[in-house]
Every structure is written in C-alpha cells, then in structure tokens.
Amino acid sequence: MRMSTLFLRTLREDPADAELPGHKLLVRAGYIRRAAPGIYTWLPLGLKVRAKVEGIIREEMNRIGAQEVQFPALLPREPYEATGRWTEYGPNLFRLQDRRETDMLLGPTHEEMFTITVKDMYSSYKDLPLSLYQIQNKYRDEARPRAGILRGREFIMKDSYSFDVSAEGLQKSYDAHRDAYIKIFQRLGFEYVIVHADSGAMGGSASEEFLAVSEHGEDTFVRDETGYAANVEAVEIPQAKPVEITAGAAHVEDTPDTPTIETLVAALNADHAHGDGREWTAADTLKNVLVMLVHPDGTREPLAIGVPGDREVDAKRLEVKVAPADVEAFEESDFKRYPMLAKGYIGPGVLGEEKSSGIRYLLDPSIAEGSAWVTGADEHGKHVLDLVYGRDFTADGTIQAAQLREGDLGPNGVGLTLARGVEMGHIFQLGTKYAEALGLKVLDENGKLVTVTMGSYGVGVTRAVGMIAEDNLDEYGLIWPREIAPADVHVVATGKDDAVFVKAAELVAQLETEGLEVIFDDRPKVSPGVKFKDAELIGVPTILVVGKGLEQGNVEVKDRRSGDRREVPVDDAVAEVLREVRA
Ligand code: ATP
Ligand code: MG
C-alpha cells in the first residue's frame, strides 16, 4: 500500500455524528465512511482490518469442522412466515416488495434459510452432525443505530447453525462453538465475559452471550464471586421466602396529594408514624406500574406490575419477559377505559384477573409472603397501610422485571455486582423450533422420522472491528493489535533527499519479500510532521522512519503503543522490524 496512491484522506477534524472515540478515529483515519445512518462504506484500510477479523473467525470455525457457505441477503417471505418471524421481528425487519409485489425481506439472521436448505439436501441421521457458517451482511432497522459500526443497520455477522439428531449431539455442537468462540475472542484481544442470556425471539433454551466488558456497553450484566454471570435480562432473582406476619390489620388512610412515591413517603413520615418508630422509606411502599402489551397479532393487553417503591421496572428485562409482545405506555385514553384505576393510587384491590379491572397483576419476586406494604387504596388521595401479601392481597404470578442493583442477592444467594458490556457473540440451543416449523426431519437408525435439533451461533464481525478500535487507541490515533492491524509495518520516508526515498523503497521491497504487509508513505512534498501524524492516526503497531539519520547510516524503529523509538543501522532495519512483528 503506497500512500501516494492509496484511496485515503485522513481528517484532522472529528466527524460531527460520531460519539465514541474509536468511531471518530475510524472515520478520521480513513477506515470507514458513513453512507447513511447506521450504514457504512468500507475503505481499503477498513477492509484490510475487517478481513483480519474475518480470517480469525474463519480459522476457528474451520477448526471445529464447520463448513463455509453463503446465503443471499435478499430473501423470500414464506420461510419467515412459517416460523412466525415475519411478524415477530416487528419494525426491525426490512421488508420490501419486488416488481410483482411479492413480499421479500433483507435477512436479519438466517435460521430459516439454513433449515430449509438442509431439509432439501439431507434426509438421514448419517448425514449429521453438520455445522454450517457464513460471513455475510445482515440488515436490521435498529431503532437507535449507534456508535458507528457498533450498532449498524447493515452489518456483517458470522452466523453458524448446527444440526443434530439428539440433545446430546446438540450439546456437543454447542460446546464446540463455545470453545471456538473463546479462542476467537482471546485472539481478538477482548476482555470478555460469558453470560447467561435470554434467548428472546429466537426461541429455544440454553443460550449464552460473549460480552466485551466496556463502559460503552449498552448491555448491563451481573456477576458474583461464585463465577455466575448473566445478562440483566436473564437474571432470575430468587423468590423471597415467606416471613412471619407482624403487621396488624390493614387500614386505609387519607394521604391527599400523594400520587408519587416521593410525596407519599413524605406524607407518611409527617402524618402516619411508623409502628416501629423508624422513618418510612420508598422500600416500604408497593408501586403498581401499568403497561400495555401489544401482541404480534395486534391485540392489546394491559399488565400491572407490582414492585417495591424504591425500584423502577427495567424496560429491557420486561421486554424480554413479555416477548414476542411489545411494551407500550399505558395512556390517558387507556385509563379512561378502566375507571376503577385511580391514577397515582392504584392498588391490588382492583388489580388481578379476578378483580374488578380484570388486569393481570404480577409481582416482583422480592415481595415476600407475609410482608406488609403501603400501597394505593384505589381511591384518589388514599393509601392502605399494613397490607400483607398473602393475607390481604394476592397476584396472578410473579415477573422478573424490576431494576437490579449492586448488592442484590442473585440465584446463588450472594450479592451481585453490575457492569456494562457490548454483546460480541451469542450462542443458542434452538432445539427443534425451526426444524419443526419448517419440517426438517431425518430418518434415525431405526428408520423412524425424527425432527432435527439445531443450534445457532453469531459473532458481530463489524461490531468487533468497532470494539477493537474503542479498546485500542490514544489521543493520537488507533493502535491496532498486531493480528488485526491493516499492515505489519508503516514505513515513512521523510525529507527532500531522493536517496531517502530510494532506500525506503528498497527496505519496503525487502520487508514484502519477507512476507510482511507494508504501508509505505512515499508521498513526495508532504511534511514529516503530517506523515508522522498520519502514521499515528492509522495505528500500525510498528513504524519505520527513513529520514535524516540515513546520512549517518541509521533509520528509526518506533513502537506505536509505547512510543519507544530507537535508531538502528539501516542494514539491520529489516531484521529489527521482523523481530518486532514476530515477537
Ligand atoms: P443486540 O442485543 O446488541 O441488539 P442481538 O442480540 O440482537 O444484539 P444477535 O441476533 O444475537 O444480536 O446477533 C448475533 C451478533 O451479531 C451479536 O452478538 C452482535 O455481535 C452482532 N449484532 C447484532 N446486531 C448488530 C448490529 N445492529 N450491528 C452490528 N452488529 C450486530
Ligand atoms: Mg443476541
């Protein structure tokens, strides 16, 4: 790659639409350019880096015997209709029509296509196990495309699918993928955690995510000292054990103008001294949150969720628990249709399938049988105190949707810590959901038809490039890990002396003969300062400067990460660079 001809323009200014430092640098250093929101063009340097990431993934997938294929991105509706995902995917799916007005879509993930292709080609248990993968463009109309290539609307995913006749077979395929992913993420250089995940719209059971630990993460996960780690969506808080009832009979009190937890707690402390002599806190109150579920067929169903007043309902946890239904706000117009709901004072007196509202009422599992609460009395300006769960009110079940906090007890009975991460990979045991919907069956040893059991496994390739950039940078530019860098060495020729350029070109030729990839800044009439800045911005780990020192027979080898530089005799330059690269 010769900088004099390379299709590249580095920018001194940050792009206006970039939030994260790595994203800014990828644009400034000429790796990617935005084509539209969440849609990016890959320039020569970017493609090099992407190919390195793809290469690592490909090697590890091939190592476990998975075979590479490529499906189209433009797909027919029917298979997605058969599995219900044409509808379930909701607004995230890019749907379109061809000239005959036939419905089509741009693939967000390819379970359906792999399933029907295997069905077309295979019919016996002898053909299995089978693992197939592709590295291919995916399309999702993300509500909030973000941080450049971290969340794109067009992005590249490595997706693989395993096909087995038995649960044990599936477990083996899953474990092989899990091991391959561990190798991939180690090689990509992430600090990552493997967390229990929710399997969301994919259906199926066992599912884990590989999260890159990062403050930029949109995903919150929890872990504990026993090694348990889970996405917040997947955390199951243990059901609180029943407690002995200590509260007296429930009693309704006037609490005028207390529609919020804050105003309620203040009023309680002012007018209704706590029996124990302590202050009331938000945790003594039971907050009943109403939402509207919208099912895939369009039907709307209200849902009431009871949580301790010091917690919010966590939108992400809730979404997953009610999927495939969507969650919408409970509007003023909805309140009109349920006159028994006294907004700001809603309580278990009217909530529940058997109660006057008929609205399903689910409680947070931290609410123990026997515990006493202050909650709405279903009349404006009134609350009920000492209302005991199990004695004075019941619910239709529990739901794991409350916001989690540092220190909450997790499934192992020890405190959880919270951290943020970016989902880099996801492995699922799908089971027979897709095979069943699309009729993928094979004959087993006894000549009986059995439904094939499947796994699906994804790695975000372009997201990985973005995340590696976020993790490897300084104020001057990117600093690629060696295995990912667009080149092994960046050779900079400086000065006006022709001899410098001739010698530099000679060194480049020798380095290339040794099999190294070289970026050669051979631009005439560009100042050394600009060349050094560009080299730092681009971020190849080793920089070789051929310049003034050449008169004394020396060149300079620079380490981009540490900033260390040393003069070496020009005759040793190639050997020195090779040592760095192969270290
Ligand atoms: P997220 O929760 O971040 O939206 P997801 O759970 O929808 O991701 P999967 O369907 O599991 O994603 O896709 C497999 C992998 O593809 C993810 O682990 C992630 O690395 C990558 N990926 C998903 N959506 C995007 C996107 N919009 N842009 C870039 N990569 C993505
Ligand atoms: Mg996922």
Side-chain angles (χ1 to χ4, degrees):
M1 284 175 277
R2 304 290 181 268
M3 291 281 275
S4 58
T5 52
L6 185 64
F7 188 52
L8 173 73
R9 273 293 167 270
T10 56
L11 309 172
R12 295 286 163 244
E13 300 291 319
D14 283 333
D17 59 318
E19 310 142 48
L20 298 187
H23 177 203
K24 290 176 186 165
L25 289 172
L26 284 170
V27 176
R28 280 187 45 208
Y31 286 81
I32 56 170
R33 280 181 88 85
R34 197 181 84 134
I39 304 178
Y40 284 82
T41 303
W42 290 76
L43 299 173
L45 289 180
L47 268 190
K48 280 267 176 198
V49 164
R50 208 175 89 186
K52 298 274 167 83
V53 171
E54 290 176 4
I56 288 172
I57 295 171
R58 197 169 266 127
E59 267 176 44
E60 298 302 337
M61 293 315 297
N62 292 345
R63 223 192 285 279
I64 62 166
Q67 301 174 59
E68 187 166 3
V69 295
Q70 183 133 56
F71 280 77
L74 180 61
L75 301 171
R77 168 178 174 162
E78 289 72 30
Y80 285 78
E81 188 69 57
T83 59
R85 290 212 293 181
W86 173 263
T87 319
E88 271 172 28
Y89 239 102
N92 258 25
L93 191 65
F94 277 106
R95 301 173 179 83
L96 65 161
Q97 289 194 329
D98 68 10
R99 65 169 73 204
R100 290 187 197 85
E101 295 181 357
T102 307
D103 283 328
M104 319 224 26
L105 64 126
L106 296 175
T109 162
H110 278 68
E111 281 74 10
E112 286 81 353
M113 300 311 295
F114 278 77
T115 307
I116 56 180
T117 305
V118 172
K119 177 186 173 186
D120 277 351
M121 292 172 60
Y122 278 1
S123 55
S124 160
Y125 75 97
K126 289 184 200 149
D127 299 323
L128 304 181
L130 171 71
S131 280
L132 301 173
Y133 76 98
Q134 62 175 349
I135 296 177
Q136 188 248 15
N137 279 358
K138 297 279 183 274
Y139 297 86
R140 296 182 186 178
D141 196 359
E142 300 276 358
R144 293 178 302 119
R146 186 182 155 268
I149 51 177
L150 284 190
R151 182 176 296 287
R153 296 197 296 162
E154 176 184 85
F155 61 96
I156 296 178
M157 195 199 290
K158 183 290 296 176
D159 47 329
S160 29
Y161 305 87
S162 66
F163 302 85
D164 283 276
V165 274
S166 66
E168 301 80 68
L170 169 58
Q171 188 63 44
K172 263 197 193 153
S173 300
Y174 182 88
D175 291 342
H177 272 88
R178 196 176 191 275
D179 289 343
Y181 276 35
I182 288 171
K183 296 208 179 80
I184 290 168
F185 291 111
Q186 270 165 1
R187 287 178 68 182
L188 294 180
F190 292 120
E191 186 202 334
Y192 68 92
V193 285
I194 304 176
V195 302
H196 296 282
D198 157 79
S199 37
M202 311 288 283
S205 46
S207 155
E208 289 168 295
E209 284 171 0
F210 288 69
L211 300 184
V213 180
S214 163
E215 54 182 312
H216 306 310
E218 284 184 282
D219 290 342
T220 307
F221 68 95
V222 300
R223 42 184 164 182
D224 72 16
E225 65 205 23
T226 71
Y228 169 80
N231 204 315
V232 285
E233 286 104 302
V235 181
E236 297 275 308
I237 294 300
Q239 174 61 50
K241 301 241 161 35
V243 295
E244 201 188 319
I245 300 174
T246 54
H251 46 110
V252 174
E253 300 291 342
D254 280 326
T255 53
D257 300 322
T258 56
T260 64
I261 296 294
E262 213 177 25
T263 49
L264 172 61
V265 170
L268 289 171
N269 282 320
D271 306 328
H272 304 276
H274 195 289
D276 295 351
R278 66 171 177 83
E279 293 261 298
W280 293 100
T281 70
D284 296 313
T285 68
L286 172 64
K287 175 161 71 182
N288 299 300
V289 179
L290 281 153
V291 296
M292 187 60 79
L293 304 184
V294 184
H295 294 285
D297 66 2
T299 54
R300 302 168 73 81
E301 180 203 351
L303 174 68
I305 302 161
V307 294
D310 60 339
R311 303 210 179 219
E312 301 301 325
V313 170
D314 179 318
K316 278 195 161 177
R317 297 191 79 207
L318 175 61
E319 250 168 50
V320 161
K321 298 300 164 359
V322 301
D326 280 334
V327 179
E328 286 186 7
F330 198 82
E331 305 283 358
E332 230 24 79
S333 53
D334 296 316
F335 275 105
K336 291 218 173 76
R337 288 178 26 243
Y338 291 92
M340 71 295 290
L341 298 179
K343 198 177 171 189
Y345 304 88
I346 301 168
V350 298
L351 298 174
E353 283 166 348
E354 309 294 323
K355 296 285 177 58
S356 60
S357 70
I359 295 176
R360 191 149 61 102
Y361 183 41
L362 302 175
L363 285 182
D364 186 63
S366 71
I367 294 168
E369 225 179 282
S371 57
W373 298 90
V374 178
T375 190
D378 303 305
E379 235 183 284
H380 279 280
K382 289 187 198 291
H383 280 89
V384 52
L385 281 65
D386 290 325
L387 193 76
V388 171
Y389 177 43
R391 180 188 75 183
D392 305 323
F393 75 102
T394 54
D396 300 312
T398 57
I399 186 164
Q400 299 264 356
Q403 174 192 46
L404 297 174
R405 284 217 208 104
E406 196 82 15
D408 283 350
L409 291 189
N412 294 345
V414 292
L416 299 172
T417 48
L418 269 69
R420 301 184 77 78
V422 177
E423 182 188 320
M424 305 307 306
H426 200 163
I427 54 180
F428 291 99
Q429 295 195 15
L430 294 173
T432 55
K433 172 175 169 174
Y434 290 87
E436 213 131 74
L438 296 161
L440 170 57
K441 292 178 199 237
V442 294
L443 292 173
D444 71 5
E445 289 137 318
N446 309 315
K448 246 184 54 199
L449 271 180
V450 291
T451 303
V452 170
T453 178
M454 291 171 53
S456 112
Y457 318 88
V459 175
V461 174
T462 44
R463 179 175 286 185
V465 173
M467 221 28 232
I468 295 167
E470 298 303 338
D471 277 351
N472 297 278
L473 50 77
D474 64 12
E475 71 236 74
Y476 306 112
L478 297 159
I479 312 173
W480 295 104
R482 214 165 258 301
E483 226 190 326
I484 316 291
D488 297 302
V489 53
H490 188 131
V491 177
V492 179
T494 65
K496 297 199 177 91
D497 190 353
D498 271 350
V500 166
F501 286 82
V502 171
K503 190 68 204 177
E506 224 175 82
L507 291 172
V508 167
Q510 288 172 25
L511 290 165
E512 285 176 342
T513 309
E514 291 291 339
L516 297 199
E517 287 182 286
V518 183
I519 295 179
F520 179 22
D521 198 342
D522 60 341
R523 290 175 292 179
K525 297 195 195 106
V526 171
S527 79
V530 167
K531 289 188 175 180
F532 294 144
K533 276 216 170 75
D534 279 346
E536 290 189 319
L537 184 58
I538 290 169
V540 172
T542 302
I543 301 170
L544 175 66
V545 184
V546 186
K548 278 210 289 284
L550 192 62
E551 279 174 28
Q552 285 80 50
N554 290 328
V555 293
E556 195 177 75
V557 178
K558 259 167 74 170
D559 182 309
R560 172 68 183 88
R561 186 174 293 276
S562 65
D564 291 347
R565 49 173 78 193
R566 58 206 155 83
E567 294 253 296
V568 300
V570 64
D571 293 338
D572 298 344
V574 171
E576 278 294 318
V577 170
L578 284 175
R579 212 182 346 266
E580 293 272 328
V581 171
R582 292 177 183 158

